[in-house]
Amino acid sequence: MKLYFLICAFVYTNILAGQEITLTEKPFTDNYYGKVISDPYRYMENTNDTLVQKWFKQNSIESRKLLDNISGRKEILEKLLELEKRNSFDITLLNIAANNYSFYLKKLNSDKTGKLYYKSGEKAKEILLFDPADYKKESGSNYSITYLKPSWNNNTVAIGLSKKGEEIGEIAFLNVTTKTLHPEIITHCWPAALAGIKWLLDDSGIIYIHIPVIDTKDKNYILNTESVIYKLGDNPDKHKIILSKSNNPEIEITDADFPVVYDFNSNDKYITSSLSGATTYEDYYYANIEELSNQKINWKPLYKKEDGLLNPKLINDNLYCVSSKRTPNFKIIKTNITNPDFENPEVVVAENKIESIDDYVINNEGLFYSTTKNGVEAKLYQKKDNVIKQIQLPIKAGAISIQNKNSANPGLWVSISGWLNSKSRYSYDAAKESFTEANVTTPILYPEFEDFVVDEIEIPSHDGAMVPVSLIYKKGLKKDKMNNILIDGYGSFGISMKPRFRTFYLSWVLNGGVFAEAHVRGGSEKGDDWYKNGYKSTKPNSWKDLIAAAEYLIKEKITSKERIAITSGSAGGILVGRAITERPDLFRVMICKNGELNTVRLKETPNGPNCMKEFGNPEIKEELDALIEMDSYLHIKNGVKYPSCLITTGMNDARVAPWISGKFAARLKASTASKNPIIFSVNYNTGHGLDNSNLELYNDFADQFAFAFWQLGNPKFKLINSD
């Protein structure tokens, strides 16, 4: 086996021989509160530098050559495409509007991207409204629909569009009757990520977030954003600001805050807003809904982020919220908006010590709320007339999402998902206590997954905390230390890695591997404390939980350190980057996609000032210390044998700057004492990866899994020297 890896390393070296551009270290130091830190690849932050550009381009070409020449990669891609084709089409961005109209994207297997359709009723004929392939065709750019919002009267649809994986995009307006676009196009917007679009009650215009600076290389990129009203037919550059730092000096709004106005309808007495961004808790405000027509809205404070409140709902003068104050598994509270009492509010649903409250809705049938245990076992409850009862779900639920139907169609939409079952959608009639299946696509059978097993376990971390871990494997798993393990995790922003059906991860199991989801701290799988214990100064718990999961699987003889791959991306780059820099001996492979790997430089990145709310502000000494500790790039040491790494980035990434991955890869290549390949894969046609087509997505996973299996020693996956 040792000889096999030496041969692979030899072949890899010779593929790049003779053409490799070497980036050298250049002395550069920062002095942080008396602590001197070396940053030898600081110059790479200038991606316009000719040498840096050439290095990125070479890595793009050579990584593509290498990954395409791993045997077994093609079979993974073909299997993923074959699984997709069983469903003749995909439905996304489903909007159930007034009078039971539905608007959605539908993508046939032959389509490159989804097209906009609508139906005037559940059994009405489907009508094609808009094909994004026709949008600005003369420009040669490929646009995709990233967001849609129908007007209240269903006559107009506001459509968010973006190109080449970019996230900042445009808003166009489609006349449903004529199927034509209005001539006015709004730019400088990002509706898919920044609070979406809200139609005014008379359908005369929309509320959206305007972004003054959209150049990712400008220091003011995505700062000082504004919530604005745009009236249909006006010049696209003309809008009325209703919440911003410049417009509302009476409110403490920072440059990085996103001033968000939330959804409302004709029955509402108030509108709400918050200073949003990359943070779990936010400052909230409210105003009378009639003020939308005023020149300036009088926003009144609702609560502060320090109050620990989430998901506010205003019903008449009553404010409902999910509260974490003294209840880490959350409770649902109620107070009066004109005289709020957050210290001693009315407790509508008390904390459950085992299950964490996840979401809730209120309608004329009472209050409905969902819970999760360890983030992987979901339940649904109803409270009516002061009585709480559990609702028996039609199938076992790993995760639940609940949504009120519109006023003309009372009841609930309940969507249920799991690791081995795709999302199922139901209509729930509370009066009859019955579920009716309401899937928009026909359920697909996957017989190849029938012998898969899911184990939900808890393992002790370094400090005794019990970490939930989800294991998926084929029936008959042998504890012989020979299983190839892929451990996924995230651990940031309080995001829980809920069970959901993902054929790409199940394809890992199809190839004989074991997939593990480590529910590390920094997520909310076990409530607010679980999040807060993986946040800023406590962030090390996140990667120590991942390390503990790997050690447990070794101790249980399920695998060995030579057969463990770890994967994550974006903010999860902290998780996997610090795992391999703290315990390089424990892992054989690390895969990092658009990863946050240089947190000390967070403020200099496109979306960094916003993300500082979650990770820390380098201008505050205590928070700087936390950023240094979670900085994977700074923890790379010369002469250490690091594992094989596949580090990827999209050059259009507006969230995590591509130079972050580049700096990490360059330093790792120069520092490692092992012969393990360090692959830096650069894609010039994608961004952060959120809007990738299925083909792009499946190609990415084929790359990652083929690389991991090759390095883990699976004989099906070998490097073929095509030269």
Side-chain angles (χ1 to χ4, degrees), residues 378 392-398 416-418 421-426:
Q392 295 303 311
L393 297 169
I395 58 174
K396 184 178 179 180
I416 301 173
S417 60
N421 58 283
S422 55
K423 182 182 288 186
S424 297
R425 185 167 173 268
Y426 297 89

Side-chain angles (χ1 to χ4, degrees), residues 624-666:
L624 170 68
D625 290 341
L627 289 170
I628 292 172
E629 183 59 28
M630 68 180 81
D631 193 307
S632 304
Y633 168 79
L634 293 181
H635 280 82
I636 297 173
K637 298 177 181 178
N638 290 330
V640 173
K641 293 182 178 180
Y642 288 105
S644 305
C645 293
L646 174 58
I647 301 152
T648 71
T649 191
M651 288 302 286
N652 296 323
D653 195 336
R655 300 196 185 200
V656 180
W659 54 256
I660 294 175
S661 296
K663 284 176 67 178
F664 182 82

Side-chain angles (χ1 to χ4, degrees), residues 92-141:
T92 56
L93 301 185
L94 175 66
N95 277 251
I96 307 295
N99 299 320
N100 212 26
Y101 273 51
S102 56
F103 295 83
Y104 51 89
L105 294 191
K106 181 177 180 180
K107 179 183 174 297
L108 302 175
N109 290 330
S110 57
D111 294 332
K112 289 184 177 181
T113 188
K115 302 174 184 178
L116 175 60
Y117 289 80
Y118 92 105
K119 294 169 72 174
S120 58
E122 188 173 341
K123 297 182 180 180
K125 181 182 178 181
E126 177 182 78
I127 297 174
L128 173 63
L129 285 178
F130 178 70
D131 183 350
D134 297 328
Y135 184 68
K136 295 188 177 181
K137 185 183 293 185
E138 67 281 357
S139 69
S141 297

Side-chain angles (χ1 to χ4, degrees), residues 345-360:
E346 178 185 341
V347 177
V348 181
V349 178
E351 180 189 31
N352 184 317
K353 298 296 183 182
I354 298 174
E355 302 166 19
S356 177
I357 293 175
D358 193 36
D359 194 11
Y360 75 103

Side-chain angles (χ1 to χ4, degrees), residues 574 596-603 615 627-628 630-631:
I574 297 170
E596 186 56 77
L597 297 159
N598 192 193
T599 46
V600 163
R601 300 291 292 162
L602 196 61
K603 192 174 181 181
F615 302 119
L627 289 170
I628 292 172
M630 68 180 81
D631 193 307

